[in-house]
Amino acid sequence: MLTTDPAGIARFRERRRRIAGEDTARLDELRQLSTDVRRSVVRMIDGARLGHIGGDLSVTDILVTLFGGVLAVDPEKPRDPDRDRFILSKGHCAAALYATLAHSGFFPLTELSTFMAPLSPLNGHPNRRKVPGVETNTGPLGHGFPVAVGCALAAKVSGRSYRTFVVLGDGELQEGSNWEAAMTAAHHDLSSLTAIVDRNRLQQGARTEETKRLEPLADKWASFGWEVRDVDGHDHGRLLSALRPSTTGRPVAVVARTVKGKGVSFIEDRVEWHHKVPDSEQVQAALEELSR
């Protein structure tokens, strides 16, 4: 198991203090953290010569907003029983999660260079036994969301106040287990549960609507009994508002409309970048573009 980074924890706490303050400074802080995470992701995938760069870049702003301004978590006590739970159901985008955790002090930033190396804790899918901040192992699509429902149900049964958040890919919603989980959460009025869909409209090999139509997606969630919030998934301010607690007593679904490959122009909205690896010139171009 990786260990926490004291210097990183101090930075995390100072950042959370600033993000909790004045609006302009808060959004500037989140935007800078998103840039730092995206740059880390590009370097990680370059070093490993493996990864899912398109989805990593689309989900970054969601992860940064959660860990930077929403989740009640403490990297010094990653197993605190009263912590909020976060599950990345689209586990193939582990690089973005690892980078966000490292920039939040859960483990040293230097560990990111070991991404997917032999015996590295930072393998291709998150492992709760190896990486602090990971709640459950994910990878097979459609598994993380049902676990999140279980976490929220456990909170309700035990009378605990923690919230549970889960990020799903939009292509992942073609798995029927997700809709069984959605029905269950609504049936039990799990108002402490928030599901966030990374709606980048692309999956491996094709657009989601070519593979199996998801729209009208917001209406689908509403028909399953959820409180729905449809937002720009790259707007930190709108994400902060959308990730507030339920106002209806129902579970919350956030449809976060994103761009696959966000931040790197030659990757954005291109289906081939689901798990394509940039060459050395493309890596440099991406890092330069992300530093502007």
Side-chain angles (χ1 to χ4, degrees):
M1 171 70 81
L2 292 172
T3 57
T4 55
D5 174 22
I9 291 171
R11 289 193 299 270
F12 170 78
R13 290 178 176 161
E14 175 59 21
R15 183 184 301 119
R16 287 293 295 254
R17 184 191 66 76
R18 291 195 297 268
I19 290 170
E22 191 268 328
D23 281 349
T24 302
R26 169 192 307 173
L27 299 181
D28 288 345
E29 193 73 32
L30 289 170
R31 282 191 287 267
Q32 183 58 56
L33 181 55
S34 287
T35 296
D36 293 343
V37 167
R38 284 190 170 95
R39 287 172 62 84
S40 291
V41 164
V42 171
R43 291 191 181 101
M44 291 163 68
I45 289 175
D46 177 39
R49 308 308 299 161
L50 293 166
H52 293 81
I53 194 167
D56 284 321
L57 297 177
S58 73
V59 80
T60 294
D61 295 309
I62 298 168
L63 298 182
V64 162
T65 302
L66 281 165
F67 280 89
V70 177
L71 292 173
V73 293
D74 184 347
E76 197 168 22
K77 297 182 289 183
R79 292 295 174 190
D80 184 336
D82 292 321
R83 72 193 181 279
D84 285 347
R85 272 58 168 177
F86 171 73
I87 293 170
L88 181 68
S89 194
K90 49 176 287 181
H92 58 286
C93 289
L97 176 59
Y98 295 153
T100 302
L101 290 172
H103 281 279
S104 300
F106 282 84
F107 56 87
L109 284 165
T110 53
E111 291 289 343
L112 295 178
S113 64
T114 72
F115 178 56
M116 288 206 198
L119 304 181
S120 169
L122 304 181
N123 57 36
H125 295 93
N127 188 325
R128 67 180 300 273
R129 296 184 180 274
K130 297 180 179 181
V131 185
V134 173
E135 291 291 342
T136 190
N137 295 25
T138 54
L141 298 178
H143 287 199
F145 186 19
V147 173
V149 172
C151 290
L153 187 57
K156 184 170 185 176
V157 169
S158 63
R160 292 188 178 274
S161 61
Y162 67 78
R163 299 175 66 193
T164 300
F165 298 82
V166 56
V167 169
L168 303 102
D170 50 1
E172 181 180 9
L173 293 179
Q174 295 163 7
E175 299 282 355
S177 54
N178 289 307
W179 298 106
E180 294 178 44
M183 282 192 293
T184 301
H187 175 77
H188 290 287
D189 296 317
L190 299 182
S191 60
S192 66
L193 176 63
T194 299
I196 306 129
V197 181
D198 180 13
R199 183 67 170 121
N200 61 37
R201 298 177 178 269
L202 288 172
Q203 61 188 89
Q204 180 171 298
R207 295 191 175 275
T208 56
E209 303 309 284
E210 295 171 6
T211 307
K212 193 177 293 182
R213 287 191 302 275
L214 295 174
E215 294 297 341
L217 186 55
D219 291 345
K220 281 186 171 68
W221 283 97
S223 72
F224 273 72
W226 286 59
E227 179 181 337
V228 183
R229 300 163 185 176
D230 197 328
V231 299
D232 179 345
H234 300 302
D235 186 318
H236 298 96
R238 292 180 182 271
L239 284 169
L240 284 170
S241 295
L243 295 170
R244 288 174 178 162
S246 172
T247 61
T248 60
R250 293 179 286 158
V252 173
V254 177
V255 179
R257 300 194 179 272
T258 61
V259 176
K260 198 156 188 172
K262 178 67 174 178
V264 181
S265 58
F266 59 85
I267 297 178
E268 287 186 350
D269 200 38
R270 299 287 296 271
V271 66
E272 67 268 28
W273 285 97
H274 180 77
H275 52 58
K276 182 179 177 180
V277 176
D279 61 30
S280 59
E281 290 184 2
Q282 290 170 325
V283 166
Q284 291 306 309
L287 292 174
E288 288 174 11
E289 191 168 344
L290 288 168
S291 66
R292 294 171 189 163

